[in-house]
Amino acid sequence: MAPAADEAKSGNGGQIQRPFTFNEIVLRNRLTALVVDGDNFCRLLQQGILQAYGLQTQTVDNGDAAVELIASGAKFDLILIDMLLPILDGLEATRRIRAMGVNCKMLGVTAFSGERERQAFLAAGVDLFVEKPLGPEVLIPILRELDGQYPSI
Amino acid sequence: MVGTTLSQQLKNYIQTMHAQGMLDHHFDHVKALQNEENPQFVMDVISMFSHDAEAAIAHLTTLLNSAVVDFAMAITLVHQLRGSSSSIGGQRMAIACRDLRHACDNMDKERCLQVLERVKQEYEALRECLHIIFQQPVSGTPLCSSDNQLVAQSNRVPAQWMLTVKN
């Protein structure tokens, strides 16, 4: 018990932090996003967060459904995809989506944190590997880039 | 005024939970979703987290107490638990899940059972914490007929967790 408690106590040291708001970024364009996550809770939460930022969001709960949706012609500015997915895993789903010529920003958002998983997801075609949860420090710069508020690198 | 006191107590409580490592900044992200336009959304999120976490913990308990442990299935469940607990900002629970994942990777049944108990404790503590925080009205204004209920429920918080509010 002690090691975990000590590790967790480092937190923010009890300092008062500025309350977070979704007004940190105001989008000028209507951006769309697809959330691919087999976990109901994570899918719902990620959708809620993206919608709070102003994105129009769809969700699917497996890799095969994601591929089918893209193949049907649906277009997204941003795709969040988990690695561990039922029916068709996130690695293969990513490969198939990229093979269709989809060039949108894809984030591999997963509870896995190992270097091997990171390399595999990047090799499959995601632009960025993110250990869950996807926080504003990662998401906001990406949204600004997609919205044209930053010059593309 | 009672409403101001309760609101400040809630802020103090959340701050204390941050300081103790129970919650991290991802919780603030979740809490920021609470608004008057969709007041039920966060409650739905919390309910889903609790439901899924309890189901996963129950399944893990069965798996890890089996004569022959299916560590592959256990890893899948721990993976899910870690993802959801970290997503809701439950820092200590996420750390416990990480440690359980390591024990599963090592196929160390005894260690798994030890750490599973810690996961359960951290989940219980997190669930209580979330219940205390989100039972408050969204607007922060006192409920006329429920002030006493709010005060009674806030008294469930251990005294040492509540920062002193000076009138």
Side-chain angles (χ1 to χ4, degrees):
Chain A
M1 176 70 179
D6 288 344
E7 182 178 350
K9 272 185 184 176
S10 60
N12 66 352
Q15 293 177 355
I16 298 173
Q17 294 182 323
R18 183 170 60 90
F20 171 82
T21 71
F22 287 98
N23 294 330
E24 299 270 341
I25 175 174
V26 179
L27 298 177
R28 298 184 296 219
N29 300 293
R30 187 72 166 166
L31 298 180
T32 58
L34 173 65
V35 175
V36 189
D37 199 308
D39 182 80
N40 295 334
F41 164 77
C42 289
R43 197 169 61 248
L44 180 67
L45 182 61
Q46 287 181 78
Q47 180 181 34
I49 288 172
L50 290 173
Q51 288 178 340
Y53 279 119
L55 281 82
Q56 189 175 334
T57 310
Q58 274 187 255
T59 68
V60 292
D61 64 3
N62 68 81
D64 189 58
V67 173
E68 288 292 318
L69 182 59
I70 301 291
S72 73
K75 296 193 186 311
F76 301 96
D77 298 296
L78 176 67
I79 298 176
L80 305 186
I81 184 163
D82 194 0
M83 182 177 278
L84 203 65
L85 294 169
I87 303 177
L88 184 70
D89 68 50
L91 294 177
E92 184 57 28
T94 300
R95 279 190 281 266
R96 293 187 191 185
I97 288 170
R98 288 303 196 201
M100 284 190 272
V102 172
N103 295 318
C104 72
K105 187 74 106 179
M106 288 187 73
L107 307 186
V109 184
T110 174
F112 284 113
S113 57
E115 181 60 22
R116 185 177 58 185
E117 286 84 7
R118 192 181 81 88
Q119 292 296 338
F121 225 161
L122 290 171
V126 299
D127 296 293
L128 195 64
F129 176 93
V130 181
E131 185 181 346
K132 275 181 181 175
L134 178 60
E137 67 281 359
V138 174
L139 186 56
I140 288 177
I142 289 171
L143 294 181
R144 286 206 170 108
E145 179 190 337
L146 292 174
D147 196 41
Q149 295 184 22
Y150 281 167
S152 299
I153 298 174
Chain B
M1 294 195 49
V2 173
T4 303
T5 300
L6 286 173
S7 175
Q8 187 59 49
Q9 283 187 350
L10 178 61
K11 288 179 184 175
N12 293 342
Y13 176 70
I14 293 173
Q15 184 185 340
T16 302
M17 291 300 99
H18 275 288
Q20 293 196 349
M22 175 73 73
L23 301 174
D24 62 22
H25 65 284
H26 294 294
F27 169 76
D28 300 328
H29 217 193
V30 175
K31 190 164 190 322
L33 290 170
Q34 191 178 32
N35 60 64
E36 292 177 354
E37 291 175 6
N38 193 0
Q40 190 59 31
F41 177 76
V42 172
M43 298 311 299
D44 290 344
V45 165
I46 302 296
S47 293
M48 190 173 286
F49 166 73
S50 294
H51 176 269
D52 291 356
E54 287 170 19
I57 288 172
H59 196 172
L60 271 168
T61 302
T62 301
L63 278 174
L64 294 176
N65 281 290
S66 303
V68 179
V69 178
D70 183 348
F71 282 106
M73 176 59 78
I75 287 171
T76 300
L77 291 167
V78 176
H79 178 87
Q80 173 207 323
L81 262 180
R82 182 181 175 186
S84 58
S85 58
S86 61
S87 294
I88 207 162
Q91 182 178 337
R92 288 207 322 230
M93 183 178 168
I95 291 170
C97 290
R98 181 200 63 192
D99 293 344
L100 181 54
R101 171 65 196 265
H102 290 158
C104 289
D105 286 341
N106 294 330
M107 293 197 235
D108 185 341
K109 180 176 176 177
E110 263 194 55
R111 176 71 182 148
C112 282
L113 289 170
Q114 285 174 2
V115 184
L116 178 60
E117 287 308 307
R118 207 176 94 216
V119 170
K120 289 178 182 177
Q121 289 166 12
E122 295 299 349
Y123 167 71
E124 290 294 335
L126 178 60
R127 185 178 66 174
E128 181 75 4
C129 174
L130 294 174
H131 177 72
I132 289 170
I133 292 170
F134 289 105
Q135 69 184 351
Q136 300 297 324
V138 173
S139 64
T141 55
L143 300 174
C144 295
S145 60
S146 305
D147 282 356
N148 289 338
Q149 185 180 10
L150 285 171
V151 172
Q153 286 173 331
S154 71
N155 286 336
R156 290 165 53 200
V157 177
Q160 64 268 29
W161 288 2
M162 302 296 287
L163 301 180
T164 301
V165 177
K166 294 181 181 178
N167 294 322

